[in-house]
DNA sequence: TATTGTTATACTCTATAACTATA
DNA sequence: TATAGTTATAGAGTATAACAATA
């Protein structure tokens, strides 16, 4: 396939999808036995990023139904990584907040997961790393905030 | 965070991981109702790429245990996307092969999944697309073949 | 005896439907 | 009556252990 072909949006889409899939697959492979399940970990990172949220808002954000999020939140609470706080105005609602232990867990897990990728990136030239930094910005822009 | 900081392997690893995660999450969101479950689809693509394989080899490749792969392969066979063929030399083994319908399914699914990403890439400049093309190559190199 | 694949069984995560408490 | 969250129950997908067939 020619270079110019790969720069057209259609063919490039396949290239980007494959590249992203393979990197994430490798990152998953490098996942430690002690790591939290992914669906629990992403809730911790959401709480870290947006602050305390209701289970309903977390369910919407993660694209699961409320009963599933109830389970996930309960598991995180039992592990001591999150806690439920009553909403002050609306007593139907519950706010889920990150605990100090949860915050620490995020940091440790990220370090462990990124170890392999960091090593690989170290084998690239500074120019290649710059290309990846720019590409990361573009991809995040395309994908939107969440 | 400064530009130079992001170009160091450690911080860059986080950026790359986040960017890849978000793009794949959006792609999953855009997934059609008619699409095969991911674990079935990746088996079809493996058969497309490597040709007929045993269930055991597929299990190793996808990182699941043999009983799980038996289930997945059976589902694909019932859908008519794959078929089992007896091994000629070693009659303990079974070869799983892609059918013509399975081949067609791969093409259709890929087109559907990449539609959203293609549209997003169309909003970028040619230079930005070139950056993404180069980055895709780098990421595939880092991640290795599978 | 070792290997390949399957069956039996249990656990996890998800969903839909029904229920409780509050607005 | 509507909304937020939970509980009850069922459906996928995966794993471990035990089994059958073949080498």
């Amino acid at each position: 396939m020619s270079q110019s072909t790969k720069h057209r949006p259609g063919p490039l889409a396949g290239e980007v999808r494959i590249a992203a899939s393979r990197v994430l697959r490798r990152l998953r492979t490098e996942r430690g036995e002690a790591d939290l399940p992914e669906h629990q970990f992403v809730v911790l990172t959401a709480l870290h990023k947006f602050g305390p949220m209701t289970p309903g808002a977390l369910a919407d954000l993660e694209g699961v139904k409320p009963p599933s999020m109830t389970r996930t939140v309960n598991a995180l609470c039992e592990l001591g990584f999150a806690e439920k706080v009553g909403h002050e105005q609306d007593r139907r609602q519950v706010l889920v907040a990150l605990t100090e232990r949860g915050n620490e867990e995020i940091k440790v897990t990220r370090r462990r997961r990124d170890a392999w990728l960091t090593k690989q990136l170290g084998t690239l030239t500074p120019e290649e790393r710059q290309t990846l930094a720019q590409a990361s910005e573009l991809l995040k822009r395309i994908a939107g905030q969440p």
Side-chain angles (χ1 to χ4, degrees), chain A residues 40-70:
Chain A
Q40 290 180 11
F41 184 69
V42 295
V43 168
L44 289 190
T45 60
L47 294 174
H48 177 74
K49 183 171 181 183
F50 298 111
M53 295 176 72
T54 65
L58 283 168
D60 285 346
L61 186 65
E62 300 306 331
V64 300
K65 298 297 174 184
S68 304
M69 188 52 70
T70 292

PDB file of all heavy atoms in Angstrom, chain A residues 40-70:
ATOM      1  N   GLN A  40     -13.331  -1.900  37.403  1.00  0.00           N
ATOM      2  CA  GLN A  40     -13.207  -1.243  38.705  1.00  0.00           C
ATOM      3  C   GLN A  40     -12.188  -0.102  38.615  1.00  0.00           C
ATOM      4  O   GLN A  40     -12.416   0.990  39.142  1.00  0.00           O
ATOM      5  CB  GLN A  40     -12.769  -2.245  39.779  1.00  0.00           C
ATOM      6  CG  GLN A  40     -13.845  -3.254  40.129  1.00  0.00           C
ATOM      7  CD  GLN A  40     -13.383  -4.253  41.198  1.00  0.00           C
ATOM      8  OE1 GLN A  40     -12.349  -4.079  41.826  1.00  0.00           O
ATOM      9  NE2 GLN A  40     -14.155  -5.301  41.390  1.00  0.00           N
ATOM     10  N   PHE A  41     -11.105  -0.355  37.924  1.00  0.00           N
ATOM     11  CA  PHE A  41     -10.051   0.645  37.821  1.00  0.00           C
ATOM     12  C   PHE A  41     -10.525   1.913  37.118  1.00  0.00           C
ATOM     13  O   PHE A  41     -10.218   3.026  37.554  1.00  0.00           O
ATOM     14  CB  PHE A  41      -8.831   0.054  37.096  1.00  0.00           C
ATOM     15  CG  PHE A  41      -7.667   0.983  37.042  1.00  0.00           C
ATOM     16  CD1 PHE A  41      -6.955   1.313  38.190  1.00  0.00           C
ATOM     17  CD2 PHE A  41      -7.283   1.551  35.838  1.00  0.00           C
ATOM     18  CE1 PHE A  41      -5.878   2.183  38.142  1.00  0.00           C
ATOM     19  CE2 PHE A  41      -6.198   2.432  35.781  1.00  0.00           C
ATOM     20  CZ  PHE A  41      -5.503   2.743  36.940  1.00  0.00           C
ATOM     21  N   VAL A  42     -11.296   1.756  36.033  1.00  0.00           N
ATOM     22  CA  VAL A  42     -11.732   2.941  35.296  1.00  0.00           C
ATOM     23  C   VAL A  42     -12.675   3.797  36.137  1.00  0.00           C
ATOM     24  O   VAL A  42     -12.729   5.022  35.964  1.00  0.00           O
ATOM     25  CB  VAL A  42     -12.400   2.580  33.947  1.00  0.00           C
ATOM     26  CG1 VAL A  42     -11.390   1.942  33.018  1.00  0.00           C
ATOM     27  CG2 VAL A  42     -13.608   1.692  34.143  1.00  0.00           C
ATOM     28  N   VAL A  43     -13.418   3.175  37.065  1.00  0.00           N
ATOM     29  CA  VAL A  43     -14.274   3.969  37.951  1.00  0.00           C
ATOM     30  C   VAL A  43     -13.404   4.800  38.894  1.00  0.00           C
ATOM     31  O   VAL A  43     -13.666   5.982  39.124  1.00  0.00           O
ATOM     32  CB  VAL A  43     -15.238   3.065  38.736  1.00  0.00           C
ATOM     33  CG1 VAL A  43     -15.904   3.842  39.863  1.00  0.00           C
ATOM     34  CG2 VAL A  43     -16.304   2.498  37.801  1.00  0.00           C
ATOM     35  N   LEU A  44     -12.332   4.189  39.405  1.00  0.00           N
ATOM     36  CA  LEU A  44     -11.424   4.956  40.260  1.00  0.00           C
ATOM     37  C   LEU A  44     -10.860   6.158  39.509  1.00  0.00           C
ATOM     38  O   LEU A  44     -10.817   7.275  40.032  1.00  0.00           O
ATOM     39  CB  LEU A  44     -10.261   4.067  40.748  1.00  0.00           C
ATOM     40  CG  LEU A  44     -10.563   2.987  41.779  1.00  0.00           C
ATOM     41  CD1 LEU A  44      -9.265   2.402  42.316  1.00  0.00           C
ATOM     42  CD2 LEU A  44     -11.392   3.537  42.924  1.00  0.00           C
ATOM     43  N   THR A  45     -10.443   5.940  38.269  1.00  0.00           N
ATOM     44  CA  THR A  45      -9.848   7.053  37.509  1.00  0.00           C
ATOM     45  C   THR A  45     -10.901   8.124  37.208  1.00  0.00           C
ATOM     46  O   THR A  45     -10.574   9.313  37.178  1.00  0.00           O
ATOM     47  CB  THR A  45      -9.218   6.564  36.193  1.00  0.00           C
ATOM     48  OG1 THR A  45     -10.229   5.959  35.380  1.00  0.00           O
ATOM     49  CG2 THR A  45      -8.120   5.549  36.453  1.00  0.00           C
ATOM     50  N   ALA A  46     -12.140   7.715  36.995  1.00  0.00           N
ATOM     51  CA  ALA A  46     -13.200   8.704  36.766  1.00  0.00           C
ATOM     52  C   ALA A  46     -13.398   9.564  38.016  1.00  0.00           C
ATOM     53  O   ALA A  46     -13.536  10.792  37.927  1.00  0.00           O
ATOM     54  CB  ALA A  46     -14.506   8.007  36.382  1.00  0.00           C
ATOM     55  N   LEU A  47     -13.398   8.916  39.191  1.00  0.00           N
ATOM     56  CA  LEU A  47     -13.570   9.666  40.435  1.00  0.00           C
ATOM     57  C   LEU A  47     -12.377  10.590  40.671  1.00  0.00           C
ATOM     58  O   LEU A  47     -12.523  11.710  41.166  1.00  0.00           O
ATOM     59  CB  LEU A  47     -13.712   8.689  41.616  1.00  0.00           C
ATOM     60  CG  LEU A  47     -14.967   7.816  41.603  1.00  0.00           C
ATOM     61  CD1 LEU A  47     -14.923   6.809  42.738  1.00  0.00           C
ATOM     62  CD2 LEU A  47     -16.224   8.674  41.693  1.00  0.00           C
ATOM     63  N   HIS A  48     -11.209  10.116  40.278  1.00  0.00           N
ATOM     64  CA  HIS A  48     -10.000  10.936  40.426  1.00  0.00           C
ATOM     65  C   HIS A  48     -10.088  12.168  39.537  1.00  0.00           C
ATOM     66  O   HIS A  48      -9.716  13.263  39.923  1.00  0.00           O
ATOM     67  CB  HIS A  48      -8.782  10.102  40.046  1.00  0.00           C
ATOM     68  CG  HIS A  48      -7.494  10.869  40.083  1.00  0.00           C
ATOM     69  ND1 HIS A  48      -6.870  11.226  41.251  1.00  0.00           N
ATOM     70  CD2 HIS A  48      -6.720  11.370  39.088  1.00  0.00           C
ATOM     71  CE1 HIS A  48      -5.772  11.905  40.989  1.00  0.00           C
ATOM     72  NE2 HIS A  48      -5.650  12.006  39.681  1.00  0.00           N
ATOM     73  N   LYS A  49     -10.632  11.962  38.340  1.00  0.00           N
ATOM     74  CA  LYS A  49     -10.659  13.046  37.361  1.00  0.00           C
ATOM     75  C   LYS A  49     -11.776  14.047  37.632  1.00  0.00           C
ATOM     76  O   LYS A  49     -11.577  15.250  37.539  1.00  0.00           O
ATOM     77  CB  LYS A  49     -10.837  12.440  35.969  1.00  0.00           C
ATOM     78  CG  LYS A  49     -10.805  13.464  34.848  1.00  0.00           C
ATOM     79  CD  LYS A  49     -10.775  12.784  33.505  1.00  0.00           C
ATOM     80  CE  LYS A  49     -10.723  13.815  32.394  1.00  0.00           C
ATOM     81  NZ  LYS A  49     -10.753  13.168  31.073  1.00  0.00           N
ATOM     82  N   PHE A  50     -12.975  13.531  37.953  1.00  0.00           N
ATOM     83  CA  PHE A  50     -14.141  14.412  38.058  1.00  0.00           C
ATOM     84  C   PHE A  50     -14.569  14.683  39.493  1.00  0.00           C
ATOM     85  O   PHE A  50     -15.499  15.455  39.721  1.00  0.00           O
ATOM     86  CB  PHE A  50     -15.322  13.801  37.292  1.00  0.00           C
ATOM     87  CG  PHE A  50     -15.077  13.644  35.814  1.00  0.00           C
ATOM     88  CD1 PHE A  50     -14.934  12.386  35.237  1.00  0.00           C
ATOM     89  CD2 PHE A  50     -14.969  14.758  34.996  1.00  0.00           C
ATOM     90  CE1 PHE A  50     -14.707  12.238  33.880  1.00  0.00           C
ATOM     91  CE2 PHE A  50     -14.735  14.629  33.635  1.00  0.00           C
ATOM     92  CZ  PHE A  50     -14.605  13.370  33.073  1.00  0.00           C
ATOM     93  N   GLY A  51     -13.939  14.015  40.466  1.00  0.00           N
ATOM     94  CA  GLY A  51     -14.379  14.190  41.842  1.00  0.00           C
ATOM     95  C   GLY A  51     -15.577  13.301  42.141  1.00  0.00           C
ATOM     96  O   GLY A  51     -15.981  12.496  41.296  1.00  0.00           O
ATOM     97  N   PRO A  52     -16.170  13.436  43.338  1.00  0.00           N
ATOM     98  CA  PRO A  52     -17.291  12.579  43.742  1.00  0.00           C
ATOM     99  C   PRO A  52     -18.431  12.624  42.729  1.00  0.00           C
ATOM    100  O   PRO A  52     -18.765  13.684  42.213  1.00  0.00           O
ATOM    101  CB  PRO A  52     -17.724  13.185  45.083  1.00  0.00           C
ATOM    102  CG  PRO A  52     -16.490  13.826  45.618  1.00  0.00           C
ATOM    103  CD  PRO A  52     -15.760  14.357  44.416  1.00  0.00           C
ATOM    104  N   MET A  53     -18.993  11.459  42.415  1.00  0.00           N
ATOM    105  CA  MET A  53     -20.087  11.356  41.444  1.00  0.00           C
ATOM    106  C   MET A  53     -21.134  10.391  41.964  1.00  0.00           C
ATOM    107  O   MET A  53     -20.840   9.518  42.779  1.00  0.00           O
ATOM    108  CB  MET A  53     -19.556  10.803  40.117  1.00  0.00           C
ATOM    109  CG  MET A  53     -18.574  11.699  39.404  1.00  0.00           C
ATOM    110  SD  MET A  53     -17.941  10.877  37.930  1.00  0.00           S
ATOM    111  CE  MET A  53     -19.369  10.934  36.879  1.00  0.00           C
ATOM    112  N   THR A  54     -22.346  10.501  41.444  1.00  0.00           N
ATOM    113  CA  THR A  54     -23.394   9.549  41.801  1.00  0.00           C
ATOM    114  C   THR A  54     -23.189   8.259  41.009  1.00  0.00           C
ATOM    115  O   THR A  54     -22.586   8.278  39.934  1.00  0.00           O
ATOM    116  CB  THR A  54     -24.789  10.108  41.468  1.00  0.00           C
ATOM    117  OG1 THR A  54     -24.884  10.248  40.045  1.00  0.00           O
ATOM    118  CG2 THR A  54     -25.025  11.443  42.139  1.00  0.00           C
ATOM    119  N   PRO A  55     -23.690   7.136  41.519  1.00  0.00           N
ATOM    120  CA  PRO A  55     -23.611   5.873  40.768  1.00  0.00           C
ATOM    121  C   PRO A  55     -24.242   6.001  39.384  1.00  0.00           C
ATOM    122  O   PRO A  55     -23.736   5.444  38.410  1.00  0.00           O
ATOM    123  CB  PRO A  55     -24.385   4.895  41.646  1.00  0.00           C
ATOM    124  CG  PRO A  55     -24.258   5.438  43.029  1.00  0.00           C
ATOM    125  CD  PRO A  55     -24.258   6.929  42.870  1.00  0.00           C
ATOM    126  N   GLY A  56     -25.340   6.739  39.300  1.00  0.00           N
ATOM    127  CA  GLY A  56     -26.014   6.915  38.015  1.00  0.00           C
ATOM    128  C   GLY A  56     -25.123   7.609  36.997  1.00  0.00           C
ATOM    129  O   GLY A  56     -25.032   7.189  35.840  1.00  0.00           O
ATOM    130  N   ALA A  57     -24.445   8.681  37.444  1.00  0.00           N
ATOM    131  CA  ALA A  57     -23.554   9.414  36.545  1.00  0.00           C
ATOM    132  C   ALA A  57     -22.389   8.526  36.119  1.00  0.00           C
ATOM    133  O   ALA A  57     -21.966   8.543  34.954  1.00  0.00           O
ATOM    134  CB  ALA A  57     -23.045  10.681  37.234  1.00  0.00           C
ATOM    135  N   LEU A  58     -21.880   7.726  37.052  1.00  0.00           N
ATOM    136  CA  LEU A  58     -20.788   6.801  36.719  1.00  0.00           C
ATOM    137  C   LEU A  58     -21.247   5.770  35.695  1.00  0.00           C
ATOM    138  O   LEU A  58     -20.504   5.417  34.782  1.00  0.00           O
ATOM    139  CB  LEU A  58     -20.291   6.095  37.984  1.00  0.00           C
ATOM    140  CG  LEU A  58     -19.391   6.912  38.909  1.00  0.00           C
ATOM    141  CD1 LEU A  58     -19.226   6.203  40.246  1.00  0.00           C
ATOM    142  CD2 LEU A  58     -18.035   7.164  38.264  1.00  0.00           C
ATOM    143  N   ALA A  59     -22.480   5.288  35.857  1.00  0.00           N
ATOM    144  CA  ALA A  59     -23.020   4.297  34.925  1.00  0.00           C
ATOM    145  C   ALA A  59     -23.098   4.892  33.518  1.00  0.00           C
ATOM    146  O   ALA A  59     -22.681   4.263  32.539  1.00  0.00           O
ATOM    147  CB  ALA A  59     -24.393   3.820  35.381  1.00  0.00           C
ATOM    148  N   ASP A  60     -23.615   6.118  33.414  1.00  0.00           N
ATOM    149  CA  ASP A  60     -23.697   6.792  32.114  1.00  0.00           C
ATOM    150  C   ASP A  60     -22.305   6.946  31.510  1.00  0.00           C
ATOM    151  O   ASP A  60     -22.080   6.659  30.336  1.00  0.00           O
ATOM    152  CB  ASP A  60     -24.344   8.171  32.256  1.00  0.00           C
ATOM    153  CG  ASP A  60     -25.855   8.079  32.464  1.00  0.00           C
ATOM    154  OD1 ASP A  60     -26.408   6.985  32.229  1.00  0.00           O
ATOM    155  OD2 ASP A  60     -26.462   9.082  32.851  1.00  0.00           O
ATOM    156  N   LEU A  61     -21.372   7.413  32.347  1.00  0.00           N
ATOM    157  CA  LEU A  61     -20.014   7.670  31.866  1.00  0.00           C
ATOM    158  C   LEU A  61     -19.356   6.406  31.331  1.00  0.00           C
ATOM    159  O   LEU A  61     -18.694   6.424  30.296  1.00  0.00           O
ATOM    160  CB  LEU A  61     -19.181   8.247  33.012  1.00  0.00           C
ATOM    161  CG  LEU A  61     -17.770   8.724  32.684  1.00  0.00           C
ATOM    162  CD1 LEU A  61     -17.828   9.908  31.736  1.00  0.00           C
ATOM    163  CD2 LEU A  61     -17.025   9.092  33.951  1.00  0.00           C
ATOM    164  N   GLU A  62     -19.556   5.291  32.020  1.00  0.00           N
ATOM    165  CA  GLU A  62     -18.877   4.057  31.638  1.00  0.00           C
ATOM    166  C   GLU A  62     -19.698   3.202  30.677  1.00  0.00           C
ATOM    167  O   GLU A  62     -19.242   2.142  30.246  1.00  0.00           O
ATOM    168  CB  GLU A  62     -18.529   3.242  32.881  1.00  0.00           C
ATOM    169  CG  GLU A  62     -17.616   3.967  33.857  1.00  0.00           C
ATOM    170  CD  GLU A  62     -16.344   4.457  33.176  1.00  0.00           C
ATOM    171  OE1 GLU A  62     -15.901   3.835  32.188  1.00  0.00           O
ATOM    172  OE2 GLU A  62     -15.795   5.479  33.626  1.00  0.00           O
ATOM    173  N   GLY A  63     -20.919   3.658  30.389  1.00  0.00           N
ATOM    174  CA  GLY A  63     -21.728   2.919  29.417  1.00  0.00           C
ATOM    175  C   GLY A  63     -22.261   1.597  29.944  1.00  0.00           C
ATOM    176  O   GLY A  63     -22.412   0.642  29.192  1.00  0.00           O
ATOM    177  N   VAL A  64     -22.531   1.539  31.256  1.00  0.00           N
ATOM    178  CA  VAL A  64     -23.174   0.340  31.818  1.00  0.00           C
ATOM    179  C   VAL A  64     -24.482   0.769  32.475  1.00  0.00           C
ATOM    180  O   VAL A  64     -24.751   1.955  32.638  1.00  0.00           O
ATOM    181  CB  VAL A  64     -22.270  -0.376  32.854  1.00  0.00           C
ATOM    182  CG1 VAL A  64     -20.978  -0.818  32.202  1.00  0.00           C
ATOM    183  CG2 VAL A  64     -22.010   0.507  34.057  1.00  0.00           C
ATOM    184  N   LYS A  65     -25.301  -0.197  32.864  1.00  0.00           N
ATOM    185  CA  LYS A  65     -26.579   0.094  33.491  1.00  0.00           C
ATOM    186  C   LYS A  65     -26.386   0.276  34.992  1.00  0.00           C
ATOM    187  O   LYS A  65     -25.443  -0.279  35.573  1.00  0.00           O
ATOM    188  CB  LYS A  65     -27.574  -1.036  33.214  1.00  0.00           C
ATOM    189  CG  LYS A  65     -27.881  -1.229  31.746  1.00  0.00           C
ATOM    190  CD  LYS A  65     -28.549  -0.009  31.163  1.00  0.00           C
ATOM    191  CE  LYS A  65     -28.732  -0.143  29.664  1.00  0.00           C
ATOM    192  NZ  LYS A  65     -29.304   1.092  29.062  1.00  0.00           N
ATOM    193  N   PRO A  66     -27.305   1.006  35.637  1.00  0.00           N
ATOM    194  CA  PRO A  66     -27.157   1.290  37.074  1.00  0.00           C
ATOM    195  C   PRO A  66     -26.913   0.066  37.956  1.00  0.00           C
ATOM    196  O   PRO A  66     -26.045   0.132  38.846  1.00  0.00           O
ATOM    197  CB  PRO A  66     -28.466   1.996  37.424  1.00  0.00           C
ATOM    198  CG  PRO A  66     -28.846   2.695  36.163  1.00  0.00           C
ATOM    199  CD  PRO A  66     -28.438   1.746  35.056  1.00  0.00           C
ATOM    200  N   PRO A  67     -27.630  -1.040  37.785  1.00  0.00           N
ATOM    201  CA  PRO A  67     -27.365  -2.179  38.687  1.00  0.00           C
ATOM    202  C   PRO A  67     -25.920  -2.675  38.590  1.00  0.00           C
ATOM    203  O   PRO A  67     -25.334  -3.082  39.592  1.00  0.00           O
ATOM    204  CB  PRO A  67     -28.344  -3.249  38.198  1.00  0.00           C
ATOM    205  CG  PRO A  67     -29.438  -2.489  37.550  1.00  0.00           C
ATOM    206  CD  PRO A  67     -28.769  -1.320  36.887  1.00  0.00           C
ATOM    207  N   SER A  68     -25.339  -2.627  37.394  1.00  0.00           N
ATOM    208  CA  SER A  68     -23.952  -3.058  37.235  1.00  0.00           C
ATOM    209  C   SER A  68     -23.020  -2.120  38.006  1.00  0.00           C
ATOM    210  O   SER A  68     -22.080  -2.569  38.672  1.00  0.00           O
ATOM    211  CB  SER A  68     -23.564  -3.077  35.764  1.00  0.00           C
ATOM    212  OG  SER A  68     -24.445  -3.893  35.029  1.00  0.00           O
ATOM    213  N   MET A  69     -23.306  -0.827  37.904  1.00  0.00           N
ATOM    214  CA  MET A  69     -22.443   0.129  38.601  1.00  0.00           C
ATOM    215  C   MET A  69     -22.579  -0.001  40.105  1.00  0.00           C
ATOM    216  O   MET A  69     -21.610   0.155  40.845  1.00  0.00           O
ATOM    217  CB  MET A  69     -22.769   1.546  38.130  1.00  0.00           C
ATOM    218  CG  MET A  69     -21.811   2.602  38.648  1.00  0.00           C
ATOM    219  SD  MET A  69     -20.057   2.240  38.349  1.00  0.00           S
ATOM    220  CE  MET A  69     -19.947   2.450  36.576  1.00  0.00           C
ATOM    221  N   THR A  70     -23.783  -0.326  40.581  1.00  0.00           N
ATOM    222  CA  THR A  70     -23.967  -0.566  42.016  1.00  0.00           C
ATOM    223  C   THR A  70     -23.012  -1.656  42.493  1.00  0.00           C
ATOM    224  O   THR A  70     -22.338  -1.512  43.517  1.00  0.00           O
ATOM    225  CB  THR A  70     -25.424  -0.999  42.300  1.00  0.00           C
ATOM    226  OG1 THR A  70     -26.292   0.111  42.055  1.00  0.00           O
ATOM    227  CG2 THR A  70     -25.591  -1.450  43.733  1.00  0.00           C
TER     228      THR A  70
END
